[in-house]
Amino acid sequence: MNGEYSNIKIAGVASAVPSYVMNSMDYLEIFGKRRVTKQVKMTGVERCHKSLRYQKTSDLCMRAVRELLTHMKWDLTEIKILVFCTQNPDYHIPSTAIDLADRLGLGKDCMAYDVCLGCQAFDLGVQTIAGLLQSQPNGTKAILLTGDVASVLASGSVLTKEDVVNQLMFGSGGAAVAIEKEPGNRLAFRNYSDGNKWDAILKYHDSPSMMDGNKVLDFALDDVAENMIRFQKEVLGDAVDYYCFSQAQKLILDNIADTCGLTEEDTLISYDEYGDTSGAGIPITLCHNRDKLARKGKVNICSCGFGVGLSMGITYFEIDPLNILPVIETDEHFDEHRKHVGLLHEHAILMIEPSNDLAEMLVRQLDRVGGNLSLYGEKESLEKLKSQFFWKDCELFTDSFEKMAECTGKKFHSVVIDMMDNDPEKIKKQIQFLSDKRMLEKSCCIVLVTVREETDDGLREFMNCLADQSGCRVNSVVYVPESLDIYPDIGDSTEWLERQIRMTENQDMIRPFFLSAAVNRLLSKEFLAADRSIIHISDTVSQLKL
């Protein structure tokens, strides 16, 4: 489908990436020189920018849009549309765009919603907003936010070396595009989607993405190139100064350009510095090449984004390079609006005396999935542990159980106890106290984390005792301490990223995440029927080879 508007102006573009840079060549020793150099040569990705743990797509977009609005000096009351195109919103419900509009101070008459799109987000987002603006008076303004955050590894996953090295291709990025209705501005577009290949890139909730690489490659080399050729003949003519494609990789873009008769000078790239940044790829590429664009004054751009669906969009527009900002590097994350929405977001969880590396790792993981935590133990160690949390509403109790009962109004949904450094008789008394004070919910689950013995008989007897005295469900996770290397779960820093990707040298380091995942699941609503269950974390994981 071709279309055209004579009154839509792309007024400005800004983009933001994390400051942390992952250089592909730094991983020669881990993945092998031949494998890494071959990939860099084929994809052209020499480095990419990765987000730290707590930085979300919305954070990058917020930094970009604030810089752009300051530069444009727009009156916020004239902005009537805010569309957030991403595959990684903060929330599934409601649209993250509504939260972003509030944080920006936009009026209550501003339409705000999310659209789930990948690499074609810039083009389809611009076209969507252009259609909405047609019903508005001249001078009405709109904002398109787009981008995605690329993670390094999924905690707890058993990954092949191929899985991990492919992560070197993808970077994080967010962008903001200022759009307004103004007569005398031509915006032409084309859309195309192939529903027969809808599942070529597929992701279910809380699962890894799945991709049929051959389908995606065929779509890019055949359908994308064919549609661009038709757009050139039917719409563009010789009006284009530069072409800007979504930054998939060098091999794909070189083939598309060759098929469409484009030279290296005709096309703009940024994949060498930023990798594949999904929906932010085209805005980042414009910002990355702003000095080149500025040599011509106002420039005519033909952008083309293609990806999940499989679908694509092509857009022709004019833009003033003076309103294209340099790429912003930032590690900011805006936490004041965050809400507990993780697996255990409704759970009030008590962790009793986390005094060793394993117990501290479990607490950090519970914080990561949104648990509403309370910690009982030694003051200095608990305060140090809390400083690493994302959620700052954790309660610390360092005096006595009696004092805790006086200070908290919570009823606990879960109690987690690491048995390594705790006396069983003391634990019985603590659980009895919580039960007597009615501090345990009826559906409360007590999870014991303990070392493996020759038989489970003694553990089962202890679990039965706790269940009888408290009326709670009691389950256990059992591990072999000699084979359990603790991966230090460092705070929001670059070391977290480096250790996470380098930990693939020693597969043992992934096993603690299996342990924490087992604890998380036992505490969740999915396992309300689990009682007197014992989960053994296998030490055979170390035999899996990357």
Side-chain angles (χ1 to χ4, degrees), residues 29 46 81 89 191 232 240 262 264 331 359 438 483 532:
E29 293 182 4
E46 299 175 6
I81 301 168
N191 288 313
Q232 289 172 316
V240 179
L262 305 178
E264 184 176 330
D331 292 325
R438 301 183 184 278
S483 65
R532 323 293 170 95

Side-chain angles (χ1 to χ4, degrees), residues 217-230 232-233 245 251-263 267:
L217 184 62
D218 289 344
F219 179 78
L221 300 185
D222 297 334
D223 300 70
V224 173
E226 179 184 341
N227 276 274
M228 179 56 78
I229 290 171
R230 292 183 61 181
Q232 289 172 316
K233 292 179 178 179
F245 295 88
L251 175 66
I252 292 176
L253 297 192
D254 284 354
N255 275 275
I256 293 175
D258 184 62
T259 304
C260 297
L262 305 178
T263 67
T267 56

Side-chain angles (χ1 to χ4, degrees), residues 356-359 361-362 417-421 448-454 456 459 476-486 511-512 514-516 518-519 534-539:
N356 56 58
D357 288 345
L358 177 62
M361 187 209 72
L362 286 173
I417 307 168
D418 176 29
M419 300 290 290
M420 175 72 80
D421 298 319
L448 307 176
V449 182
T450 186
V451 298
R452 184 179 302 175
E453 303 290 347
E454 290 186 6
D456 292 334
L459 177 59
S476 295
V477 180
V478 179
Y479 63 95
V480 179
E482 291 79 12
S483 65
L484 191 66
D485 293 325
I486 301 301
R511 193 181 306 106
F514 290 137
L515 190 149
S516 62
V519 172
I534 300 176
I535 298 177
H536 289 261
I537 302 301
S538 173
D539 57 352

Side-chain angles (χ1 to χ4, degrees), residues 343-344 347 414 473 519-528:
L343 176 69
L344 302 175
H347 276 55
S414 312
R473 295 177 297 119
V519 172
N520 292 346
R521 289 296 176 183
L522 286 171
L523 300 183
S524 70
K525 289 183 177 179
E526 296 173 325
F527 283 76
L528 280 174

Side-chain angles (χ1 to χ4, degrees), residues 133 140 142 181 219:
L133 284 172
T140 303
K181 185 179 180 181
F219 179 78

